[in-house]
Amino acid sequence: MIYLSNLEEEMFNLFIEETTEQIEKIEEGILSLEQEYDNETIKEIFRMIHSVKGSSSSMGFSKMAEFTHDLETLLDKIKTQTIEFNRDIVDLLFECLDKIKEMKTNIIKSRSDDIDFNDVREKIIKIIGKKHIKNINKNALEEFDITEYELLVMDDAAKKGENVFIIKAEIDPNTILKSMKAFLAINNLKSIGQVLRVWPQNYETIEDDEFEGKIKLILITLRAKDIVEKNIDAAGDIQKTIVEKFEGKEIENNRLIDIKVNDKLQDNGLFRQEKRDYIRVNIVKLDKLIGFVGELVIDSGRLLQIKARLKAKYKGDPDIKELITSAEHINFIGTELQESVMSVRVYTIENIFSRFQRMVRDLASRSDKNINFITEGKDTELDRGILEEIVDPIVHLIRNAVDHGIETIQERTAKGKKPQGTIKLTAKHQENSIIIEIEDDGKGLDIETIKNKALEKGIIKLDELDVMPDEEALNLIFIPGFSTAKVITDISGRGVGMDVVKTNIEKLNGIVDIESEKDKGCKFIIKLPLTLAIIQALLIKEGKINFAIPLPSVIETIRLTQSEVKKNIKKIKGKEAYVWRDKVIPIIRNKDYFNISSNSKEDKVFLIIVGFYEKCICFIVEKLMGEQQIVIKNLGEYLGKGKLLGDVKGISGATVLGDGNIAYVVDIPDIVRTLKEHE
Amino acid sequence: MDKPRQYIVFNMDGEDYGIDISEAHEISRLKEVTIMEFPRAPDFVEGIISLRGEIVPAIDLRKKMGIEYKKRDKETRIIISKFDKKIIGIIVDNITKTIEFEPEEISLVPEGIKDINLKYVKFIGKKDTDIVTILDLREILNIQEENR
């Protein structure tokens, strides 16, 4: 790999970031064109492609520049309605975009865009005619050894309506200091425009006897030809001047693209950079800022507690009054600041929805299925970190819905269902969580197949299976080892099973659940916290130890006296269970799970129902301390096999509370998962 | 090891122990920090402290080295060490002084001495009447030398 300096690295990263963004927007554009043709969208895509072309050529990725140039030509044909816009064109556009993506991936991997694009180019040529591609204005440029990049610059300038002149000048061979004359002439030209290149390159220093006096150059200017000629002549002793106008790569053979005077303004607009009220910020810097703000909020909470104590202690003291006012103000500002900063990290889910649209389209077209893909709630805002992590699980679930959920047209017709299947992707806010649902109207999960497979793989014993309710049996698909089929996803290129889907979601402090009905369809429900860094948590205390349970995991809290507990808790096969909403759910006593010695004399305990839908447990804790926002700190460096704190289950991190004390974040999904081992 | 190196010295049961000063980030009085017990952690783990918002596990050196428990007092100190990304607190009885050993004053543990804690000992430092057992913190804290 080529070593890059910091600045180059930064430029490179910026290039990749911008290109990625543009590719996404182009994809959205093509998708919307597929629904309904709109000239504005074509122009928008054109603008994006043009920008990719410019940035790739300036980064030295000439193949990408060349290819995007071809694509530009194609788009131009569509825009001017020279060619008919149809399904084939949409497919071709997607193919082109895939090529660009492939180049980008290769650039990231090996800093090279060396991807063969002749196959796609052939297709473009077929549609627009060979003449228009790679038709460099040969007669004038023949003797010019210009680079692809220079050609692009010239082409752009010509399209923008600037004059590009190819100039040949001869200085009287008898003149002494010919290089001086050349310098003067070129200097004059520089004052009226941009001199792209001069042959010979060393015209300023070349010795008279080595210099024939012939110079060639390319000039980009807004001035007319006669002004240019005058400027050259002004140097004196110029014998002969030929000034030829370069009209753009394709112009000669294509009258249709000829820019008409009326269109000029509009076309100029195409190349203007869109005015942006944005700046790019490195996500690491932003996260650091968010971390600091989180700490600030915690400290200001602490300040409020001190304030309350001081207020009681020094009633009426004017200094204290002032202190209280500023403490309250700091607290207010802190909260506002936190909200503003958090909103920076927040993205709408639309950013990822468009990718799925494309994916479903491609997957369905490969199989004998007709699928209507619907998205809802694309304006739902989500933390960027979560957004990135949730893509893979959703991809997997949608793929499954297409591959295994929705039946073929024939199967559906035979079942008396609508031939077209529907996959619905929904996102919505619900209290402090985000709910994402992936629903299909296909055949649903086959509970018997799942049970048999689980038995076969030795995941579960027959006697356990016999007493297991169907809803719970559905969850067997999430157990590692259940799904052995490695599916390579188009998006990530990694193989993920359903267990990975679940782990990924749980890593985000989220939960996933399934609802399924035979021949009616299947629905996956993902519940996620609003942000990664800061979450709302329920604080509890066991003995001297503080714990925090992420609120998305909490369903209900119940307060019972010891005698009520005795009455309500049943023993099943020696294990404690609690009847909650007509369901028998296992009990875990926090005290026993974490092996805490406590001689609490409290008569009351708290039952916290945690989990999600069918998979709930009743967590018994000593004291409930209320709700608080917490910043989760990772303990990964210290937790695990062979590490300092050992392999302690059920704790996912720690947090510093307002009073400076520490609380451990309870990993509910981990506890539910390891329920069996624990017993 | 060509240059003289400095060590922080503490005393446990009459014996002097040292830690390379470059491995000690800061030293605090124990009463200045609040330690929260960590459930189900190994016995020698005292708990977690919060150091200016950072989460720092703290271990009890006596317990880790299998030395008999001694009541905490106002001399008890916590040494904060930083290794790569890990910050760890080590609770010791006291801090008595710092000492500098020339390379020639450092020797390996003499053969014949058999001690279960030998693997925690890096060197023995001798200067005049001072004999200091220099501890291998990486070994004690079970820190793998990933970057070497």
Side-chain angles (χ1 to χ4, degrees):
Chain A
M1 195 178 286
I2 309 153
Y3 173 78
L4 295 177
S5 72
N6 275 347
L7 182 68
E8 281 170 322
E9 188 72 43
E10 213 163 281
M11 294 257 300
F12 179 79
N13 290 341
L14 196 68
F15 165 71
I16 293 296
E17 220 177 286
E18 269 179 358
T19 309
T20 309
E21 207 170 274
Q22 270 141 1
I23 288 174
E24 264 175 40
K25 283 197 182 140
I26 293 165
E27 184 145 68
E28 278 170 38
I30 305 175
L31 280 164
S32 98
L33 280 179
E34 192 180 23
Q35 302 298 323
E36 192 187 358
Y37 181 81
D38 176 28
N39 222 25
E40 281 308 308
T41 314
I42 282 283
K43 283 182 190 168
E44 184 70 27
I45 296 173
F46 191 105
R47 184 154 43 220
M48 297 292 165
I49 288 291
H50 184 76
S51 152
V52 172
K53 179 176 94 175
S55 55
S56 56
S57 70
S58 70
M59 289 296 293
F61 298 120
S62 57
K63 281 219 167 184
M64 194 183 228
E66 207 180 317
F67 181 63
T68 42
H69 182 81
D70 289 353
L71 185 50
E72 236 180 51
T73 317
L74 173 67
L75 287 165
D76 204 61
K77 291 276 184 187
I78 303 170
K79 192 183 65 180
T80 53
Q81 277 151 31
T82 317
I83 51 172
E84 194 198 346
F85 186 82
N86 55 25
R87 182 95 193 171
D88 290 344
I89 300 280
V90 174
D91 287 338
L92 181 59
L93 288 178
F94 274 132
E95 225 173 299
C96 290
L97 190 63
D98 286 344
K99 205 44 112 179
I100 297 172
K101 279 186 192 168
E102 200 184 326
M103 285 176 171
K104 190 197 85 179
T105 314
N106 209 53
I107 288 172
I108 295 171
K109 224 166 47 195
S110 56
R111 307 261 153 137
S112 152
D113 62 343
D114 197 8
I115 296 284
D116 181 56
F117 58 86
N118 275 325
D119 49 337
V120 186
R121 173 179 263 182
E122 287 300 319
K123 288 187 190 170
I124 297 179
I125 291 172
K126 227 172 152 186
I127 288 180
I128 62 174
K130 198 175 179 116
K131 278 185 202 164
H132 312 309
I133 281 243
K134 261 226 151 168
N135 201 340
I136 298 155
N137 200 343
K138 281 229 167 89
N139 23 356
L141 282 172
E142 242 165 5
E143 324 148 44
F144 283 68
D145 164 37
I146 64 163
T147 64
E148 184 74 17
Y149 173 60
E150 283 164 334
L151 187 63
L152 285 175
V153 172
M154 290 161 67
D155 198 39
D156 274 1
K159 279 190 184 152
K160 272 187 214 165
E162 287 182 62
N163 295 322
V164 180
F165 293 116
I166 298 155
I167 300 168
K168 288 183 208 161
E170 273 175 42
I171 301 160
D172 185 345
N174 301 318
T175 315
I176 39 164
L177 286 175
K178 286 193 281 284
S179 63
M180 187 62 193
K181 295 292 172 193
F183 172 78
L184 281 175
I186 290 159
N187 219 27
N188 287 344
L189 292 178
K190 278 182 178 167
S191 68
I192 59 164
Q194 185 199 352
V195 175
L196 200 61
R197 186 117 85 99
V198 182
W199 292 265
Q201 274 168 318
N202 57 343
Y203 67 92
E204 282 172 81
T205 52
I206 195 164
E207 293 290 332
D208 262 357
D209 43 352
E210 287 170 30
F211 188 27
E212 285 177 280
K214 286 181 184 167
I215 50 171
K216 296 182 283 185
L217 61 96
I218 293 166
L219 174 75
I220 299 170
T221 179
L222 288 166
R223 305 297 175 90
K225 190 174 167 181
D226 57 320
I227 309 275
V228 175
E229 285 167 340
K230 266 186 200 158
N231 268 283
I232 299 170
D233 287 341
D237 291 323
I238 307 283
Q239 237 176 11
K240 193 176 158 196
T241 315
I242 305 166
V243 179
E244 268 183 80
K245 195 169 174 202
F246 170 81
E247 303 274 12
K249 260 175 151 183
E250 303 95 358
I251 285 293
E252 290 291 297
N253 298 301
N254 182 10
R255 282 182 210 135
L256 282 160
I257 296 184
D258 202 0
I259 300 161
K260 290 174 201 118
V261 185
N262 315 358
D263 285 349
K264 219 168 190 171
L265 269 174
Q266 204 184 347
D267 270 309
N268 263 338
L270 265 182
F271 298 99
R272 224 177 13 236
Q273 270 277 341
E274 207 182 331
K275 189 178 166 284
R276 288 192 193 151
D277 293 327
Y278 301 107
I279 52 160
R280 284 170 187 282
V281 181
N282 187 330
I283 195 83
V284 178
K285 285 184 190 165
L286 187 60
D287 282 350
K288 208 167 164 185
L289 187 65
I290 289 170
F292 279 133
V293 172
E295 304 282 330
L296 181 75
V297 168
I298 286 170
D299 281 346
S300 83
R302 208 167 161 180
L303 212 55
L304 281 188
Q305 290 179 0
I306 301 169
K307 181 208 83 176
R309 288 206 298 274
L310 287 177
K311 200 174 174 181
K313 214 163 167 184
Y314 304 97
K315 238 180 199 163
D317 188 316
D319 283 346
I320 293 294
K321 257 190 192 158
E322 211 177 313
L323 186 72
I324 288 168
T325 321
S326 17
E328 277 166 356
H329 190 66
I330 287 174
N331 193 55
F332 170 73
I333 296 287
T335 319
E336 291 283 302
L337 187 63
Q338 190 179 35
E339 262 171 41
S340 316
V341 172
M342 291 313 292
S343 74
V344 173
R345 248 197 91 108
V346 156
Y347 271 46
T348 60
I349 204 156
E350 191 177 0
N351 283 291
I352 59 171
F353 270 18
S354 63
R355 295 189 218 178
F356 302 136
Q357 191 90 43
R358 170 78 194 280
M359 193 183 78
V360 173
R361 174 192 183 275
D362 288 356
L363 285 173
S365 67
R366 259 184 255 151
S367 57
D368 193 15
K369 289 172 187 179
N370 185 352
I371 298 172
N372 180 22
F373 183 68
I374 309 170
T375 57
E376 254 173 42
K378 61 182 176 144
D379 295 331
T380 310
E381 289 182 326
L382 206 56
D383 183 282
R384 183 188 156 130
I386 295 180
L387 202 63
E388 279 166 2
E389 293 301 318
I390 202 66
V391 173
D392 278 357
I394 298 179
V395 164
H396 191 73
L397 294 173
I398 293 180
R399 268 196 92 104
N400 275 355
V402 177
D403 289 349
H404 313 300
I406 304 285
E407 310 92 328
T408 61
I409 298 170
Q410 291 87 337
E411 280 173 323
R412 289 184 71 91
T413 323
K415 281 180 188 170
K417 287 167 122 177
K418 252 194 350 189
Q420 189 185 45
T422 303
I423 296 176
K424 198 163 130 192
L425 175 64
T426 328
K428 62 185 176 210
H429 271 267
Q430 199 173 77
E431 288 157 26
N432 273 310
S433 306
I434 302 277
I435 310 280
I436 296 173
E437 291 174 352
I438 297 113
E439 190 178 3
D440 69 62
D441 65 349
K443 50 172 110 76
L445 294 174
D446 188 343
I447 195 81
E448 289 312 314
T449 315
I450 291 172
K451 283 181 173 177
N452 288 336
K453 200 170 167 193
L455 272 178
E456 201 181 292
K457 303 259 179 208
I459 289 166
I460 195 162
K461 289 189 203 87
L462 192 59
D463 54 336
E464 287 175 301
L465 204 55
D466 283 343
V467 293
M468 188 179 266
D470 280 358
E471 303 87 51
E472 211 179 316
L474 283 178
N475 282 288
L476 288 169
I477 63 166
F478 288 124
I479 293 173
F482 180 86
S483 125
T484 47
K486 284 271 178 276
V487 179
I488 309 298
T489 67
D490 276 348
I491 307 267
S492 68
R494 275 180 290 129
V496 284
M498 286 305 278
D499 58 321
V500 181
V501 168
K502 190 172 178 165
T503 329
N504 282 351
I505 291 167
E506 284 170 357
K507 257 192 237 154
L508 302 168
N509 286 311
I511 307 179
V512 58
D513 197 51
I514 320 167
E515 282 171 13
S516 173
E517 200 176 328
K518 197 167 191 292
D519 286 335
K520 283 274 171 62
C522 177
K523 184 171 170 185
F524 285 86
I525 305 134
I526 302 168
K527 195 175 176 190
L528 296 164
L530 287 179
T531 69
L532 267 186
I534 300 173
I535 62 162
Q536 194 76 14
L538 189 64
L539 293 184
I540 57 177
K541 194 162 194 157
E542 199 73 45
K544 284 179 194 150
I545 307 180
N546 300 320
F547 291 94
I549 302 179
L551 222 49
S553 301
V554 177
I555 301 173
E556 193 180 339
T557 55
I558 305 157
R559 197 171 73 156
L560 292 181
T561 61
Q562 290 290 2
S563 55
E564 283 172 314
V565 169
K566 276 202 187 103
K567 234 190 302 172
N568 283 288
I569 290 177
K570 310 263 179 289
K571 284 233 172 175
I572 297 169
K573 287 186 198 162
K575 282 164 199 152
E576 287 186 312
Y578 181 73
V579 182
W580 175 74
R581 298 188 192 169
D582 299 329
K583 267 192 296 188
V584 182
I585 59 174
I587 284 179
I588 286 196
R589 288 181 186 263
N590 192 29
K591 183 172 171 268
D592 298 337
Y593 188 88
F594 289 113
N595 207 3
I596 300 162
S597 56
S598 151
N599 2 315
S600 155
K601 292 190 178 62
E602 286 281 336
D603 182 45
K604 292 192 176 90
V605 289
F606 292 88
L607 277 57
I608 306 174
I609 311 295
V610 291
F612 198 50
Y613 293 86
E614 304 307 328
K615 197 87 184 175
C616 301
I617 54 171
C618 171
F619 210 61
I620 300 189
V621 302
E622 190 184 308
K623 249 188 222 164
L624 220 55
M625 315 287 287
E627 277 177 29
Q628 194 183 315
Q629 283 209 330
I630 58 165
V631 180
I632 299 182
K633 308 248 173 175
N634 200 334
L635 280 175
E637 294 282 334
Y638 312 107
L639 262 181
K641 263 202 181 100
K643 292 189 183 165
L644 195 70
L645 297 175
D647 193 16
V648 178
K649 292 261 179 273
I651 291 179
S652 60
T655 185
V656 183
L657 301 177
D659 58 3
N661 266 314
I662 284 171
Y664 301 117
V665 181
V666 183
D667 190 346
I668 295 291
D670 194 35
I671 292 179
V672 173
R673 193 168 40 235
T674 54
L675 199 57
K676 283 214 165 59
E677 294 167 36
H678 182 66
E679 285 164 358
Chain B
M1 216 197 268
D2 322 301
K3 285 183 203 150
R5 293 184 82 100
Q6 277 206 310
Y7 298 88
I8 298 171
V9 178
F10 51 92
N11 192 289
M12 286 194 294
D13 300 338
E15 201 174 323
D16 276 341
Y17 294 89
I19 287 172
D20 194 319
I21 206 160
S22 68
E23 289 176 342
H25 200 63
E26 63 180 273
I27 294 160
S28 304
R29 284 169 201 277
L30 192 65
K31 60 170 190 182
E32 284 166 4
V33 298
T34 352
I35 301 184
M36 175 66 66
E37 184 194 324
F38 193 84
R40 292 167 73 177
D43 169 55
F44 62 84
V45 173
E46 189 74 15
I48 306 275
I49 60 171
S50 134
L51 187 79
R52 290 180 293 275
E54 295 275 359
I55 300 287
V56 179
I59 69 150
D60 183 314
L61 191 63
R62 277 182 172 266
K63 278 190 192 158
K64 177 71 190 177
M65 294 184 64
I67 305 171
E68 204 185 319
Y69 178 77
K70 178 176 172 284
K71 207 172 171 258
R72 302 275 157 74
D73 55 29
K74 61 178 190 299
E75 297 297 319
T76 314
R77 294 289 184 277
I78 179 159
I79 302 171
I80 306 293
S81 277
K82 240 184 186 170
F83 296 94
D84 309 324
K85 275 187 209 153
K86 301 183 182 88
I87 310 173
I88 298 167
I90 301 127
I91 299 167
V92 296
D93 288 4
N94 48 50
I95 297 289
T96 53
K97 61 183 168 191
T98 63
I99 193 166
E100 193 175 86
F101 286 123
E102 298 291 337
E104 59 271 20
E105 291 168 330
I106 296 280
S107 61
L108 292 174
V109 187
E111 299 244 355
I113 293 182
K114 283 215 158 66
D115 192 314
I116 43 156
N117 288 322
L118 210 57
K119 66 169 180 172
Y120 297 146
V121 179
K122 219 193 228 165
F123 308 112
I124 303 288
K126 266 188 218 163
K127 190 185 210 105
D128 308 324
T129 56
D130 280 319
I131 299 174
V132 181
T133 308
I134 293 155
L135 297 173
D136 189 345
L137 266 195
R138 280 185 182 266
E139 189 63 46
I140 290 172
L141 301 175
N142 191 18
I143 288 172
Q144 269 77 41
E145 303 199 14
E146 294 151 8
N147 302 329
R148 312 197 163 202

